[in-house]
Amino acid sequence: MRKVLVVLVMLLTVGTLFASTFVKVEGKTETAQTASVTINLPLSSADGYTGVEVGFSTNAVDSVDTEVTSSNSSINLDIANDKGSLSDGLHAYWKLTTNNSVTVKMYLAEALNGAIDDNTDTINWQVTATEIEAEDKDVGSLSTEPADVYESDHAITLVSLTPVAGAPSKIQTVADSTPLTIQTASFAGKTVDDYSANIVLSVEVK
C-alpha cells in the first residue's frame, strides 16, 4: 500500500509542475484562465558569461550580427613563378560577447610539408594580418629556420579583451576581422609534391 501512495504522490507532483504550461476550458468561466511558461536568460554563473566565436571567413565581419560565410577548410594558393600566394578572399574573424578576459591569437603550425612520405623538403611561408595595429603584424616569415617563426610560441594577438574597469560584471560585445595575405618562400629545388600546413586561431578565456 505504501508503494501505491508514493506513486500517486509522484503523479500529483508531475501534474503540478506541468499544469501551468497549458489550460483547458470547458464551458463558460467568469475567471480568466491562464497558461504560462518561464523563459530564462541565464547570464549569471560562477565563471561569468562568455559567448566566443572565432574562425576563417571569405567575407569581412564587423558586428556580431554579420552573417559569416565560412571559408573552405582547405585553400589552394595561386602559383606564379616559383612562389605561392593568396592576396584576398580569406579573413580571420572573432565575435566576443563576454564579461571575461578573452585573448584571440593566430599562428602558423609549421612549415609547408609535402604529402609524399619520403619527401623531407619543407617550404617556409608568411601570413600577414593586414589590419591589426601591432608592431609585428606578420605571422611567420620567410626565414630559413622554421623554429624561429612557427608554433604557438610565435603567435600574434588579434584581439585582447579585458573586463570593464570598476564594473567587471558588465558584458562587452566586440566583433571584427582582418584580411589575411599569404606568401611562400621559393619552391625552386624542392620535390614536386602537394605541400600544406595550418593557420591556427587560439582562444584563451580567463
Side-chain angles (χ1 to χ4, degrees):
M1 185 64 180
R2 180 174 298 175
K3 291 182 180 180
V4 174
L5 289 175
V6 171
V7 172
L8 288 175
V9 170
M10 290 177 65
L11 290 174
L12 288 172
T13 302
V14 171
T16 301
L17 288 174
F18 290 98
S20 62
T21 61
F22 68 91
V23 61
K24 184 176 181 180
V25 179
E26 296 180 357
K28 297 180 179 180
T29 176
E30 294 181 1
T31 303
Q33 304 298 303
T34 62
S36 64
V37 62
T38 300
I39 306 300
N40 299 304
L41 180 61
L43 299 181
S44 178
S45 67
D47 297 326
Y49 173 77
T50 297
V52 173
E53 179 183 340
V54 303
F56 297 97
S57 64
T58 59
N59 63 308
V61 174
D62 57 14
S63 79
V64 293
D65 296 322
T66 300
E67 184 174 345
V68 175
T69 303
S70 296
S71 68
N72 292 329
S73 59
S74 181
I75 297 171
N76 291 333
L77 299 178
D78 298 322
I79 299 174
N81 299 320
D82 63 348
K83 296 179 180 178
S85 66
L86 183 70
S87 57
D88 58 35
L90 182 63
H91 298 73
Y93 78 90
W94 52 94
K95 295 181 178 183
L96 313 178
T97 304
T98 182
N99 68 311
N100 289 312
S101 295
V102 179
T103 302
V104 180
K105 295 183 178 182
M106 183 172 68
Y107 63 90
L108 306 184
E110 57 187 346
L112 297 166
N113 291 279
I116 300 174
D117 290 341
D118 59 356
N119 177 15
T120 59
D121 288 337
T122 61
I123 300 172
N124 288 304
W125 59 311
Q126 171 180 288
V127 175
T128 303
T130 59
E131 293 184 0
I132 299 301
E133 297 180 0
E135 292 182 4
D136 182 9
K137 296 181 181 180
D138 293 342
V139 182
S141 73
L142 301 183
S143 166
T144 57
E145 298 294 329
D148 291 341
V149 295
Y150 301 115
E151 301 182 350
S152 58
D153 288 345
H154 305 283
I156 64 166
T157 299
L158 299 182
V159 60
S160 182
L161 186 66
T162 58
V164 177
S169 63
K170 294 292 185 181
I171 294 175
Q172 301 180 79
T173 299
V174 175
D176 206 348
S177 62
T178 176
L180 303 178
T181 60
I182 302 173
Q183 180 71 55
T184 75
S186 171
F187 51 75
K190 304 293 184 179
T191 302
V192 175
D193 199 351
D194 291 331
Y195 292 81
S196 63
N198 292 331
I199 304 173
V200 180
L201 293 179
S202 67
V203 182
E204 185 177 58
V205 181
K206 294 182 179 180

